[in-house]
């Protein structure tokens, strides 16, 4: 069986899911209904899609998702296991990575209120990397979205330090601007978009 009906999950914008669900179901949780709200997909919609349509499609081809596993069901235990690293200062670790030639990629959503751009830039000022001044002086260049109509992100780089200023995105870049997120991941990994 093909996954043709779920190619939409490789969406380039959240509105495509809205349109897909509207076409398949007539309406879905009030998205794009006559006189109803329009916009992105919310968490309960994503949870429903992942725990029903996507799970069913994947399990029809191969039984890869166990019955006791649900979308988001592991977030509590994962957070608890990683709690020791939560809000831990990493400036010294970043300095060590940079000094040893390891590439460091910093992403920041333009609209992020949790890790705001000004705070991120201020944090970067504390880095003691020997090439920081050269990075700081390097040009920031805009990378346009595939249609060429808008800037997906700005990128500033020197040697092994890169910063991505993700446009039209807050803390959750992949949910807020999936096009920019995918383009950025492709850039980081060297895979063509």
């Amino acid at each position: 069986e093909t996954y043709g009906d779920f190619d939409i999950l490789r969406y380039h914008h959240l509105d495509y899911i809205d349109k897909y669900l509207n076409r398949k179901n007539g309406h879905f949780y009030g998205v794009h209904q006559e006189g109803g709200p329009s916009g992105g997909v919310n968490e309960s919609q994503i949870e429903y899609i992942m725990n029903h349509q996507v799970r069913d499609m994947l399990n029809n081809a191969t039984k890869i998702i166990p019955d006791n596993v649900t979308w988001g069901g592991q977030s509590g235990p994962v957070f608890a296991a990683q709690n020791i690293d939560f809000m831990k200062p990493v400036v010294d670790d970043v300095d060590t990575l940079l000094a040893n030639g390891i590439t460091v990629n910093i992403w920041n959503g333009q609209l992020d209120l949790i890790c705001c751009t000004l705070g991120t830039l201020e944090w970067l000022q504390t880095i003691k990397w020997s090439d920081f001044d050269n990075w700081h002086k390097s040009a920031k260049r805009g990378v346009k979205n595939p249609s060429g109509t808008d800037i997906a992100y700005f990128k500033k780089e020197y040697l092994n330090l890169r910063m991505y200023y993700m446009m039209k995105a807050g803390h959750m870049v992949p949910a807020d601007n999936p096009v920019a997120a995918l383009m950025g991941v492709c850039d980081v990994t060297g895979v063509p978009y």
Side-chain angles (χ1 to χ4, degrees):
E1 182 173 0
T2 68
Y3 293 96
D5 284 344
F6 287 91
D7 279 347
I8 197 65
L9 294 175
R10 296 181 298 171
Y11 57 85
H12 290 264
H13 195 278
L14 288 172
D15 284 341
Y16 289 149
I17 284 186
D18 291 347
K19 291 172 186 170
Y20 169 78
L21 292 171
N22 192 32
R23 188 176 70 247
K24 290 293 271 187
N25 300 332
H27 64 84
F28 192 79
Y29 287 98
V31 177
H32 288 292
Q33 288 183 22
E34 287 295 319
S38 64
V41 178
N42 67 38
E43 285 300 314
S44 64
Q45 292 167 322
I46 292 171
E47 183 178 334
Y48 184 85
I49 293 166
M50 296 304 291
N51 283 328
H52 292 89
Q53 286 106 325
V54 172
R55 173 192 211 91
D56 294 346
M57 182 63 74
L58 291 173
N59 281 344
N60 281 343
T62 58
K63 184 77 170 158
I64 62 173
I65 303 174
D67 292 336
N68 65 329
V69 174
T70 59
W71 171 261
Q74 299 75 30
S75 63
V78 169
F79 184 82
Q82 295 177 344
N83 193 32
I84 192 164
D85 288 327
F86 187 67
M87 300 298 286
K88 176 183 170 189
V90 295
V91 174
D92 293 339
D93 297 337
V94 171
D95 280 329
T96 300
L97 292 170
L98 291 168
N100 286 297
I102 308 292
T103 299
V104 174
N105 296 292
I106 300 166
W107 285 49
N108 188 251
Q110 165 201 26
L111 306 172
D112 194 336
L113 298 176
I114 299 168
C115 303
C116 67
T117 302
L118 291 176
T120 301
L121 293 172
E122 189 171 319
W123 165 74
L124 279 166
Q125 296 291 329
T126 66
I127 290 178
K128 295 169 182 60
W129 179 47
S130 61
D131 282 301
F132 179 78
D133 287 339
N134 292 324
W135 177 85
H136 187 67
K137 293 174 192 170
S138 67
K140 183 172 37 169
R141 71 178 173 87
V143 178
K144 290 191 173 190
N145 65 16
S147 66
T149 58
D150 207 357
I151 299 291
Y153 61 86
F154 288 92
K155 180 181 176 184
K156 182 180 183 81
E157 67 179 317
Y158 185 80
L159 296 177
N160 53 322
L161 177 59
R162 301 176 188 158
M163 181 162 177
Y164 294 81
Y165 303 78
M166 310 307 284
M167 304 308 288
K168 298 182 180 177
H171 197 67
M172 300 295 291
V173 174
D176 296 335
N177 192 343
V179 172
L182 182 58
M183 290 175 66
V185 168
C186 289
D187 187 62
V188 167
T189 60
V191 175
Y193 177 76

